[in-house]
Amino acid sequence: MTQVFPTPAAHAREILAKLGAPPLPADAGEPVRGPIDGAILGHVVYDDARQIEAKVAAACRAFADWRVVPAPRRGELVRLFGEELRAAKADLAALVTLEAGKIASEAAGEVQEMIDICDFAVGLSRQLHGLTIASERPGHAMRETWHPLGPVAVISAFNFPVAVWAWNACLALVCGDPVIWKPSEKTPLTALATQAILERALARFRDAPQGLSSVVLGARDAGERLARDPRIPLVSATGSTRMGRAVAPMVAERFGRSILELGGNNAMIVTPSADLSLALRAIVFSAAGTAGQRCTSLRRLIVHESLVDKVSDAVEAAFQRLSVGDPRDPKTLLGPLIDKAAYDAFIAAMNQVRAEGGSVAGGERVLIDEHPDAYYVRPALARLPAPAPCMQRETFAPLLHVVPYNSFDMAIAIQNDVPQGLSSCVMTNDVREAERFLAAAGSDCGIANVNIGPSGAEIGGAFGGEKETGGGRESGSDSWKQYMRRQTATVNYSGALPLAQGVRFDL
Amino acid sequence: MTQVFPTPAAHAREILAKLGAPPLPADAGEPVRGPIDGAILGHVVYDDARQIEAKVAAACRAFADWRVVPAPRRGELVRLFGEELRAAKADLAALVTLEAGKIASEAAGEVQEMIDICDFAVGLSRQLHGLTIASERPGHAMRETWHPLGPVAVISAFNFPVAVWAWNACLALVCGDPVIWKPSEKTPLTALATQAILERALARFRDAPQGLSSVVLGARDAGERLARDPRIPLVSATGSTRMGRAVAPMVAERFGRSILELGGNNAMIVTPSADLSLALRAIVFSAAGTAGQRCTSLRRLIVHESLVDKVSDAVEAAFQRLSVGDPRDPKTLLGPLIDKAAYDAFIAAMNQVRAEGGSVAGGERVLIDEHPDAYYVRPALARLPAPAPCMQRETFAPLLHVVPYNSFDMAIAIQNDVPQGLSSCVMTNDVREAERFLAAAGSDCGIANVNIGPSGAEIGGAFGGEKETGGGRESGSDSWKQYMRRQTATVNYSGALPLAQGVRFDL
Amino acid sequence: MTQVFPTPAAHAREILAKLGAPPLPADAGEPVRGPIDGAILGHVVYDDARQIEAKVAAACRAFADWRVVPAPRRGELVRLFGEELRAAKADLAALVTLEAGKIASEAAGEVQEMIDICDFAVGLSRQLHGLTIASERPGHAMRETWHPLGPVAVISAFNFPVAVWAWNACLALVCGDPVIWKPSEKTPLTALATQAILERALARFRDAPQGLSSVVLGARDAGERLARDPRIPLVSATGSTRMGRAVAPMVAERFGRSILELGGNNAMIVTPSADLSLALRAIVFSAAGTAGQRCTSLRRLIVHESLVDKVSDAVEAAFQRLSVGDPRDPKTLLGPLIDKAAYDAFIAAMNQVRAEGGSVAGGERVLIDEHPDAYYVRPALARLPAPAPCMQRETFAPLLHVVPYNSFDMAIAIQNDVPQGLSSCVMTNDVREAERFLAAAGSDCGIANVNIGPSGAEIGGAFGGEKETGGGRESGSDSWKQYMRRQTATVNYSGALPLAQGVRFDL
Amino acid sequence: MTQVFPTPAAHAREILAKLGAPPLPADAGEPVRGPIDGAILGHVVYDDARQIEAKVAAACRAFADWRVVPAPRRGELVRLFGEELRAAKADLAALVTLEAGKIASEAAGEVQEMIDICDFAVGLSRQLHGLTIASERPGHAMRETWHPLGPVAVISAFNFPVAVWAWNACLALVCGDPVIWKPSEKTPLTALATQAILERALARFRDAPQGLSSVVLGARDAGERLARDPRIPLVSATGSTRMGRAVAPMVAERFGRSILELGGNNAMIVTPSADLSLALRAIVFSAAGTAGQRCTSLRRLIVHESLVDKVSDAVEAAFQRLSVGDPRDPKTLLGPLIDKAAYDAFIAAMNQVRAEGGSVAGGERVLIDEHPDAYYVRPALARLPAPAPCMQRETFAPLLHVVPYNSFDMAIAIQNDVPQGLSSCVMTNDVREAERFLAAAGSDCGIANVNIGPSGAEIGGAFGGEKETGGGRESGSDSWKQYMRRQTATVNYSGALPLAQGVRFDL
């Protein structure tokens, strides 16, 4: 690395101050380590039970006021937030890089996604369309209206430390719901910075209720507390399948709603008709981008047997060429893993591949001397003769498994034969393959692409997946409905009292 | 009772034979008692674990075929089912009366609701509309499609023994999903009869896969088995809040979806501007109709203090006049309670009212001599000076609590201050009260009516409620979406590979 | 022809009697000739101005009643109509064959389309969804509702003598609108038969108003009278571009709405990746089926230069093999042209091709001896080296023009370079070509297919086209909205009077 | 008037310069007079035929590029335009006041409406939702997509000189369509200023095509030229019914689409249960606001006979108290009429009232000495014993007709008994009256309000009316669909060629 950067800790402190976040405690609280050098970026103090209770109670009070603010006016707050995000884009993106390790372009893309969802939510604020419905009874008007739901808890993961919250928060705010955010223990600083940016918008907006948005810092127990709280009708949780499996029943037991965005195990099918140059770029970006730490990262490559060696060789070569290093360096394409646990899981996964008969190329740790406490690795390509148990699990690291297929039906079967169901794609120029992949008997994932990698969704569509991915949908389409309650109303203006289905009950 | 009816058992056997249901076992299995006389209507044999497994496995196989049958063709099956139901309407309704104790008009209305949902589902079969969505990337087409989901388990309750299954099954079949039905232990015969009617449609349809629809007979453990089965992506369960609280986490833990239709505790507000004659009829029908055994039955009456005595007296008088008796008699408006447990709960609830300072009029058991093993009661009116704990619980019997209010805000607060959230209504001629009741800060129920009682929904709207009612929605609006999986697809036809949010990743 | 059929006239009379249509006048009125033998099928008496006035007035009176009948109840009428159509399917199809000359399978398909739209409309009858909309003003509820519009005039063409009316009528009836039908002068008998079938449904329905559906027989002036009548808010007219150009301003001048379904000039692009066997079948069916007399018939074939000879030869050979003859004979694939004028236009069009440098194969008149007054022809293939003026016009006959292309952009340009814009298709297995064809810069038609011919739309989609095709849409999607009026309503229940956009106007 | 304002001409010149509009020609061209003092604000040069041709041709070229720019990117242009409008709000509003005579608050409201529609259109830019549709054929995918339409001509009226264009232009731009604007001859300066503001956004956007938005200055013939141009698929015209009656057939004849926003004749019903204080404020604002020159201004007041004198007296008194004067003065509620022709029509209308037996209070011209060439009037109340011919016509001036009614049915009949159908309202606290007014047999207008006046629509709903109002809808709901063309696409990926409706055609 030729460019000289400030230490991550100093850099982070400077940005937080610039964005108006409250100063971090000098030395108390929990340390937050940055992945660039593994050093402590700062400390934060976790909320205790009383503080969480106060934030939930404040959100409940805020709800009583916010729900009757007209939705287009609520949209105005989100519009102002979008303006503030545009102004703070570079700073917030830089903090994302420091805390989550993303390269600059991806960090900027993440903040852009926050801005996009603001614009989208503002548009929604004059829609939130329910229905008028034809009634079978004369002199009756039937309609379905969507009303604000109540405080929404957002539990987010380190790998999209701000965008996923924004997807939820912007919709929730427009829908009339306060938001309580528990960020990952690994990325509290970006959460505090984001909240500070939102405070600017709140100040300009003037008359929003206190407690409309709050950040709860803490570990697993803080999340559980929110999941179990009956005053929180919706919990939107992003993270591992293990986390989701624990959270979902807690929420369900109290009749709350969950939006679960859990693990993916995303595949690409490469067919003989594919544009291989396009495919190669898509593979490398989606497998190695974000150091393989996207929930939509490519994990499994299913290549027609006639091409599997050629494609594998090309991917292996491209993996070798990728520049690994400080994510602040514009030349870097691959930043660090988030922490040692991630590195250990990476090593374990590669070992399992080998134990199950596969071979692994790449995956070496690099920059050890410069950063003994940080974990930079080369992406790894695991070649397997056929699908193996090691391919059933998601490992949050740049590890790509490749297997051959011989019929398109077999390729789809391999694609679907994992417990997760987030994202999937096919590289093909054949319209029949493309449409079969997108049809009822095709990919069983929530996201299915043709001639694009599995990652990089747009905010206009609904984001999320099936099976162990949890079934949640966020962002576009009608995802907003989850943040509201539906009411079916019938108004009888007839002066008579006919019953539906022709029932008679004459007194 | 002047009219002479056959014994319920003989009557039921005759209908089952006519509808082509398989003959009941002579004496083995579990007895099914009818509420009209408390005698055994027949016996059924419960499915054991192996049989349930076989039915689920058959449904999974059927799914593989059914999902690729074009939806309008699937609709044709449902259309034929509607024809068969029209032909069998009188018989099936009579069986509902025998097994669930509903009066003839309501039983006919329940079957009509099945027919209505058939017509509705047939229309949907050429819609099942997803979206095309504007993409931010040139040369990309984005769309959201709804695909069949998989086998659906329907757990139904005794009080709507056939209609609720039909709401689920007709949508599920059109959406491409097989259906496994576990009816209430109290009403297996109507389930068997309904399945027989569906078999007629299947025979005419010809090429539907085996196992597309099956009935699982059993008790709580059979339902649990279905709830825990990971091959069943959707469990639609109607019943008590207690049941829902048990089922929901079982399904959630395995990342299944639930549609929960649980307890209601439905209220009516009567304001000074109300048409009292209309209100009285609405009150009596919705509190005493179906012997108070609808999930949407009126349980709580919130009357302006200036009217509370007048309205209470009128309701009490009307309750006294209601004819109680054999539900097959066209003069009867109030049939029996379903069984002794229901009667005991009714008695207990009235006792609690008295213990909490209220007075109860009515509620006497009648026809004891004629039917010592059946439970016919007069509806009961419980007058309370203010909301009390006894009003927090749902009792499945004709027990109506009445309390006064003095401001409309207070009336809404009383309405909302229970854990359930199914149905609600206001009797008012004031448009401001009507609209406030239907607005964000008004009723917190899934159903909110003006100048209609809380019961008697039309199938064109979504049916279901919030809070402990479970949050599910069935029947109209876009309820069908729950029976399908959503897929967000993007097709890149550009030959280039731009990334969303302007991210750059140049190899 | 080996099979012996009754004379068309006797056959028609028998069917009309069976369907309960009023007896035709013995000899008075206008003669109706059948295309099978060119002989008179019967006579009909045209409505004069006074009779038309009476029918319009009756429709207006019917509207006042019908609009307040609940839509699901209106749907019940259409459901009954669907039942009657199912019962009369074979007879009505046979009459279509006799009067319009369609082969039996296509005639049955046309009646099936009527049945399908009934089912679809019944489903709509519980939807007719408007919107609830978020209001910017506190204490205001905004919604958009769709109300019945008024009497609808349907002007239909000979080539779909009953289905197009049904598309309009079933939606109109469900939407609350009476229907006045002016069928083509060439096909009044099928109209009278259809009205008779509807009368059966009306009789079963019981309480529909008089004048809800009527048939106006007459020529161009009758249509004009309806087009100019200000009491008819919607005129749905199918026919030639010339007719549409005359009708549209008449309706527009009085602020009526038109649905115009005018001429098509439909093309298919065959690309190198196409499945040629599939393409050949699609070409022959869509160019020669219905004797080229569908508005969606294939008229222009745009073939990659590498394939143009091969494809042309194959089409020419297939055209030669098609069996031409009495459309009642199940072996016949090509029935007669509708009349001599159609034949003359066919001859003239072929002559123009030759005059512009093209060559024509086929196009011979056949069966002259058997049917000197009927016009049976072989389909014609016109080969042109490049697009020519003769390809700008629609000729309602089995004449297919073929031209080569060398780039896909050029193929799309040829496809779009005609004044009509109804239907279009591409035969390709390349997903990039398929999606480009369907994208903003692709086909400019209302219908665009991939790997299907241009004809044979399903009723679930909206049918119609752009440019000189007239812009109308019928049948599926939200076509029903044209039969209703939209009302944007805001209810202020706040007690205050805030103005939108923050305007202040304080007295 | 105590406050001293610059002369309108100087004021206008200053604003135009500040907004960067091109300098007005010194003395050549057509004079533009301002209503404040009747003096010339400046001169403009009308486009001749060649210039109009050049602008249309440029729009066509721009379309070819703009239609393939992704819609969210097109939305970004509109977002930037919204930012520029926010910055220029005060200036543009001041120019509206100078050129159209609106009071400052209303002029600011008009610009706010432009800003609101920008926000709304930005949201749409990631939707523009078509449908995916269930196909009846196996292996077929059906969908409906909305594509850009082509250049849109906007013909706007003086009374909303900028907002109505913005409604059209923002949707059109997002939908992919260039815009050609012919403003009213009376208000070209605000058009030039608005175009200058848009140019700022275009400059920041960078890569929009030339000719995407242009202003055509001219009189009636310029509008006609656009109406007749077949390259302009959509003409959105706001103005008089007379204008619409001329334009509509011109567009229809060439198969173009029109959005017509023509005359209103808007009524309010005041029922016995109305909140009279609310009603009074609604009446005065909607009848006298904008000097009665809104298309939604209140023209007809239909009051229950028991209240008609009381309400009329109160309105008369309030009319007298309204401050009339320079619209720049914050104390002014009533600015000038637009010109002498408007004043003459006002006088003529009052004379007709008197000739038909009514009496008129108010209506005097004031400020004659200060502004001999401007037309300031007091609002006029015309009392009539019953509906009269004078009430059938719209006069663009503050003239309110009042008539009594005795039954609610009669009130609705009076409301509907005019040729126009734009806006309507009822002041009532009775939910039955409110809902009847909004139901199928209620108001026949495109806009129907309860407890609000007829004017002041929000942009989230569709704006427009029925009958002679022209049937167009602009702004919210799905109005955007008019700016796009709909395409029904079916992709066959099955390898087989089944036909719809079961048709067989086996070669």
Side-chain angles (χ1 to χ4, degrees), chain C residues 135-136 144 147 438 446 458 462 477 486 488, chain D residues 135-136 144 147 438 446 458 462 477 488:
Chain C
S135 168
E136 75 188 57
E144 168 176 298
H147 291 311
L438 302 181
E458 296 185 25
S477 183
R486 181 200 301 250
T488 305
Chain D
S135 168
E136 74 187 58
E144 168 176 300
H147 290 311
L438 302 180
E458 297 184 24
S477 184
T488 305

PDB file of all heavy atoms in Angstrom, chain C residues 135-136 144 147 438 446 458 462 477 486 488, chain D residues 135-136 144 147 438 446 458 462 477 488:
ATOM      1  N   SER C 135     -53.724  10.795   2.928  1.00  0.00           N
ATOM      2  CA  SER C 135     -54.002  12.225   2.777  1.00  0.00           C
ATOM      3  C   SER C 135     -52.984  13.060   3.534  1.00  0.00           C
ATOM      4  O   SER C 135     -52.494  12.661   4.590  1.00  0.00           O
ATOM      5  CB  SER C 135     -55.405  12.538   3.317  1.00  0.00           C
ATOM      6  OG  SER C 135     -55.588  13.934   3.432  1.00  0.00           O
ATOM      7  N   GLU C 136     -52.674  14.209   2.992  1.00  0.00           N
ATOM      8  CA  GLU C 136     -51.719  15.102   3.655  1.00  0.00           C
ATOM      9  C   GLU C 136     -52.351  15.921   4.761  1.00  0.00           C
ATOM     10  O   GLU C 136     -51.656  16.618   5.495  1.00  0.00           O
ATOM     11  CB  GLU C 136     -51.053  16.029   2.616  1.00  0.00           C
ATOM     12  CG  GLU C 136     -51.943  17.142   2.120  1.00  0.00           C
ATOM     13  CD  GLU C 136     -51.354  17.936   0.969  1.00  0.00           C
ATOM     14  OE1 GLU C 136     -51.018  17.327  -0.058  1.00  0.00           O
ATOM     15  OE2 GLU C 136     -51.244  19.170   1.102  1.00  0.00           O
ATOM     16  N   GLU C 144     -60.376   6.480  -3.669  1.00  0.00           N
ATOM     17  CA  GLU C 144     -60.796   6.493  -5.066  1.00  0.00           C
ATOM     18  C   GLU C 144     -61.709   5.302  -5.277  1.00  0.00           C
ATOM     19  O   GLU C 144     -61.342   4.179  -4.962  1.00  0.00           O
ATOM     20  CB  GLU C 144     -59.545   6.361  -5.928  1.00  0.00           C
ATOM     21  CG  GLU C 144     -59.799   6.065  -7.373  1.00  0.00           C
ATOM     22  CD  GLU C 144     -58.494   6.053  -8.163  1.00  0.00           C
ATOM     23  OE1 GLU C 144     -57.807   7.071  -8.233  1.00  0.00           O
ATOM     24  OE2 GLU C 144     -58.160   4.977  -8.702  1.00  0.00           O
ATOM     25  N   HIS C 147     -67.267   3.718 -10.020  1.00  0.00           N
ATOM     26  CA  HIS C 147     -68.719   3.604 -10.086  1.00  0.00           C
ATOM     27  C   HIS C 147     -69.160   3.221 -11.501  1.00  0.00           C
ATOM     28  O   HIS C 147     -68.454   3.502 -12.474  1.00  0.00           O
ATOM     29  CB  HIS C 147     -69.356   4.952  -9.717  1.00  0.00           C
ATOM     30  CG  HIS C 147     -69.195   5.321  -8.285  1.00  0.00           C
ATOM     31  ND1 HIS C 147     -69.483   4.458  -7.263  1.00  0.00           N
ATOM     32  CD2 HIS C 147     -68.777   6.469  -7.676  1.00  0.00           C
ATOM     33  CE1 HIS C 147     -69.248   5.062  -6.094  1.00  0.00           C
ATOM     34  NE2 HIS C 147     -68.805   6.266  -6.326  1.00  0.00           N
ATOM     35  N   LEU C 438     -39.203  -7.082 -26.174  1.00  0.00           N
ATOM     36  CA  LEU C 438     -40.260  -6.725 -25.215  1.00  0.00           C
ATOM     37  C   LEU C 438     -39.980  -5.427 -24.473  1.00  0.00           C
ATOM     38  O   LEU C 438     -40.757  -5.026 -23.612  1.00  0.00           O
ATOM     39  CB  LEU C 438     -40.437  -7.859 -24.193  1.00  0.00           C
ATOM     40  CG  LEU C 438     -40.785  -9.235 -24.758  1.00  0.00           C
ATOM     41  CD1 LEU C 438     -40.949 -10.243 -23.630  1.00  0.00           C
ATOM     42  CD2 LEU C 438     -42.054  -9.180 -25.601  1.00  0.00           C
ATOM     43  N   GLY C 446     -49.279  -3.389 -28.975  1.00  0.00           N
ATOM     44  CA  GLY C 446     -49.939  -3.686 -27.712  1.00  0.00           C
ATOM     45  C   GLY C 446     -49.723  -5.111 -27.260  1.00  0.00           C
ATOM     46  O   GLY C 446     -49.792  -5.413 -26.073  1.00  0.00           O
ATOM     47  N   GLU C 458     -54.843 -14.671 -24.504  1.00  0.00           N
ATOM     48  CA  GLU C 458     -55.633 -15.185 -23.387  1.00  0.00           C
ATOM     49  C   GLU C 458     -56.450 -14.046 -22.794  1.00  0.00           C
ATOM     50  O   GLU C 458     -56.036 -12.889 -22.839  1.00  0.00           O
ATOM     51  CB  GLU C 458     -54.712 -15.731 -22.298  1.00  0.00           C
ATOM     52  CG  GLU C 458     -53.896 -16.911 -22.745  1.00  0.00           C
ATOM     53  CD  GLU C 458     -53.097 -17.491 -21.587  1.00  0.00           C
ATOM     54  OE1 GLU C 458     -53.500 -17.318 -20.424  1.00  0.00           O
ATOM     55  OE2 GLU C 458     -52.062 -18.118 -21.859  1.00  0.00           O
ATOM     56  N   ALA C 462     -54.644  -7.773 -21.139  1.00  0.00           N
ATOM     57  CA  ALA C 462     -55.390  -6.736 -21.854  1.00  0.00           C
ATOM     58  C   ALA C 462     -55.125  -6.908 -23.345  1.00  0.00           C
ATOM     59  O   ALA C 462     -53.984  -7.078 -23.762  1.00  0.00           O
ATOM     60  CB  ALA C 462     -54.946  -5.357 -21.392  1.00  0.00           C
ATOM     61  N   SER C 477     -56.509  -7.829 -17.344  1.00  0.00           N
ATOM     62  CA  SER C 477     -55.800  -6.783 -16.613  1.00  0.00           C
ATOM     63  C   SER C 477     -56.832  -5.803 -16.041  1.00  0.00           C
ATOM     64  O   SER C 477     -57.854  -6.238 -15.534  1.00  0.00           O
ATOM     65  CB  SER C 477     -54.786  -6.085 -17.523  1.00  0.00           C
ATOM     66  OG  SER C 477     -54.056  -5.127 -16.768  1.00  0.00           O
ATOM     67  N   ARG C 486     -64.329   6.958 -12.356  1.00  0.00           N
ATOM     68  CA  ARG C 486     -63.459   7.014 -11.201  1.00  0.00           C
ATOM     69  C   ARG C 486     -63.841   8.243 -10.364  1.00  0.00           C
ATOM     70  O   ARG C 486     -64.050   9.325 -10.916  1.00  0.00           O
ATOM     71  CB  ARG C 486     -62.039   7.198 -11.710  1.00  0.00           C
ATOM     72  CG  ARG C 486     -60.951   7.262 -10.686  1.00  0.00           C
ATOM     73  CD  ARG C 486     -59.707   7.918 -11.257  1.00  0.00           C
ATOM     74  NE  ARG C 486     -59.129   7.284 -12.418  1.00  0.00           N
ATOM     75  CZ  ARG C 486     -57.963   6.627 -12.418  1.00  0.00           C
ATOM     76  NH1 ARG C 486     -57.251   6.535 -11.329  1.00  0.00           N
ATOM     77  NH2 ARG C 486     -57.503   6.111 -13.529  1.00  0.00           N
ATOM     78  N   THR C 488     -62.596  10.461  -7.030  1.00  0.00           N
ATOM     79  CA  THR C 488     -61.650  10.727  -5.955  1.00  0.00           C
ATOM     80  C   THR C 488     -62.411  11.436  -4.842  1.00  0.00           C
ATOM     81  O   THR C 488     -62.938  12.532  -5.055  1.00  0.00           O
ATOM     82  CB  THR C 488     -60.499  11.616  -6.460  1.00  0.00           C
ATOM     83  OG1 THR C 488     -59.900  11.001  -7.603  1.00  0.00           O
ATOM     84  CG2 THR C 488     -59.454  11.815  -5.378  1.00  0.00           C
TER      85      THR C 488
ATOM     86  N   SER D 135     -50.843 -17.512 -16.785  1.00  0.00           N
ATOM     87  CA  SER D 135     -51.191 -17.957 -18.138  1.00  0.00           C
ATOM     88  C   SER D 135     -51.884 -19.307 -18.104  1.00  0.00           C
ATOM     89  O   SER D 135     -51.600 -20.141 -17.245  1.00  0.00           O
ATOM     90  CB  SER D 135     -49.921 -18.071 -18.987  1.00  0.00           C
ATOM     91  OG  SER D 135     -50.193 -18.766 -20.195  1.00  0.00           O
ATOM     92  N   GLU D 136     -52.790 -19.500 -19.038  1.00  0.00           N
ATOM     93  CA  GLU D 136     -53.505 -20.779 -19.101  1.00  0.00           C
ATOM     94  C   GLU D 136     -52.713 -21.857 -19.824  1.00  0.00           C
ATOM     95  O   GLU D 136     -53.126 -23.014 -19.844  1.00  0.00           O
ATOM     96  CB  GLU D 136     -54.870 -20.584 -19.780  1.00  0.00           C
ATOM     97  CG  GLU D 136     -54.796 -20.385 -21.284  1.00  0.00           C
ATOM     98  CD  GLU D 136     -56.128 -20.021 -21.915  1.00  0.00           C
ATOM     99  OE1 GLU D 136     -56.706 -18.994 -21.492  1.00  0.00           O
ATOM    100  OE2 GLU D 136     -56.577 -20.716 -22.823  1.00  0.00           O
ATOM    101  N   GLU D 144     -47.541  -7.859 -18.339  1.00  0.00           N
ATOM    102  CA  GLU D 144     -47.949  -6.580 -18.921  1.00  0.00           C
ATOM    103  C   GLU D 144     -46.931  -5.551 -18.477  1.00  0.00           C
ATOM    104  O   GLU D 144     -46.677  -5.405 -17.278  1.00  0.00           O
ATOM    105  CB  GLU D 144     -49.335  -6.239 -18.371  1.00  0.00           C
ATOM    106  CG  GLU D 144     -49.785  -4.834 -18.627  1.00  0.00           C
ATOM    107  CD  GLU D 144     -51.200  -4.615 -18.133  1.00  0.00           C
ATOM    108  OE1 GLU D 144     -52.121  -5.285 -18.599  1.00  0.00           O
ATOM    109  OE2 GLU D 144     -51.389  -3.772 -17.230  1.00  0.00           O
ATOM    110  N   HIS D 147     -44.445   0.933 -21.218  1.00  0.00           N
ATOM    111  CA  HIS D 147     -43.302   1.526 -21.898  1.00  0.00           C
ATOM    112  C   HIS D 147     -43.550   3.012 -22.169  1.00  0.00           C
ATOM    113  O   HIS D 147     -44.703   3.440 -22.271  1.00  0.00           O
ATOM    114  CB  HIS D 147     -43.069   0.808 -23.233  1.00  0.00           C
ATOM    115  CG  HIS D 147     -42.572  -0.591 -23.093  1.00  0.00           C
ATOM    116  ND1 HIS D 147     -41.512  -0.925 -22.286  1.00  0.00           N
ATOM    117  CD2 HIS D 147     -42.980  -1.756 -23.662  1.00  0.00           C
ATOM    118  CE1 HIS D 147     -41.292  -2.230 -22.376  1.00  0.00           C
ATOM    119  NE2 HIS D 147     -42.175  -2.763 -23.177  1.00  0.00           N
ATOM    120  N   LEU D 438     -71.258   9.714  -1.983  1.00  0.00           N
ATOM    121  CA  LEU D 438     -70.049   9.130  -2.588  1.00  0.00           C
ATOM    122  C   LEU D 438     -70.324   7.817  -3.328  1.00  0.00           C
ATOM    123  O   LEU D 438     -69.400   7.207  -3.851  1.00  0.00           O
ATOM    124  CB  LEU D 438     -68.996   8.877  -1.505  1.00  0.00           C
ATOM    125  CG  LEU D 438     -68.553  10.087  -0.697  1.00  0.00           C
ATOM    126  CD1 LEU D 438     -67.500   9.676   0.333  1.00  0.00           C
ATOM    127  CD2 LEU D 438     -68.001  11.190  -1.595  1.00  0.00           C
ATOM    128  N   GLY D 446     -65.998  13.705 -10.916  1.00  0.00           N
ATOM    129  CA  GLY D 446     -64.722  13.032 -10.703  1.00  0.00           C
ATOM    130  C   GLY D 446     -64.175  13.258  -9.310  1.00  0.00           C
ATOM    131  O   GLY D 446     -63.406  12.446  -8.792  1.00  0.00           O
ATOM    132  N   GLU D 458     -55.516  17.163  -3.411  1.00  0.00           N
ATOM    133  CA  GLU D 458     -54.139  16.743  -3.127  1.00  0.00           C
ATOM    134  C   GLU D 458     -53.585  15.996  -4.331  1.00  0.00           C
ATOM    135  O   GLU D 458     -54.335  15.357  -5.067  1.00  0.00           O
ATOM    136  CB  GLU D 458     -54.113  15.804  -1.925  1.00  0.00           C
ATOM    137  CG  GLU D 458     -54.588  16.438  -0.653  1.00  0.00           C
ATOM    138  CD  GLU D 458     -54.439  15.483   0.531  1.00  0.00           C
ATOM    139  OE1 GLU D 458     -53.593  14.571   0.462  1.00  0.00           O
ATOM    140  OE2 GLU D 458     -55.169  15.662   1.506  1.00  0.00           O
ATOM    141  N   ALA D 462     -56.249  11.117  -8.118  1.00  0.00           N
ATOM    142  CA  ALA D 462     -56.389  11.483  -9.534  1.00  0.00           C
ATOM    143  C   ALA D 462     -57.301  12.692  -9.629  1.00  0.00           C
ATOM    144  O   ALA D 462     -58.346  12.737  -8.985  1.00  0.00           O
ATOM    145  CB  ALA D 462     -56.976  10.319 -10.313  1.00  0.00           C
ATOM    146  N   SER D 477     -52.799   8.681  -8.078  1.00  0.00           N
ATOM    147  CA  SER D 477     -53.323   7.346  -8.390  1.00  0.00           C
ATOM    148  C   SER D 477     -52.540   6.782  -9.568  1.00  0.00           C
ATOM    149  O   SER D 477     -51.324   6.905  -9.610  1.00  0.00           O
ATOM    150  CB  SER D 477     -54.826   7.415  -8.661  1.00  0.00           C
ATOM    151  OG  SER D 477     -55.342   6.108  -8.878  1.00  0.00           O
ATOM    152  N   THR D 488     -48.862  -6.228 -23.589  1.00  0.00           N
ATOM    153  CA  THR D 488     -49.145  -7.557 -23.054  1.00  0.00           C
ATOM    154  C   THR D 488     -48.219  -8.538 -23.750  1.00  0.00           C
ATOM    155  O   THR D 488     -48.278  -8.676 -24.969  1.00  0.00           O
ATOM    156  CB  THR D 488     -50.615  -7.933 -23.322  1.00  0.00           C
ATOM    157  OG1 THR D 488     -51.461  -6.908 -22.788  1.00  0.00           O
ATOM    158  CG2 THR D 488     -50.956  -9.264 -22.665  1.00  0.00           C
TER     159      THR D 488
END
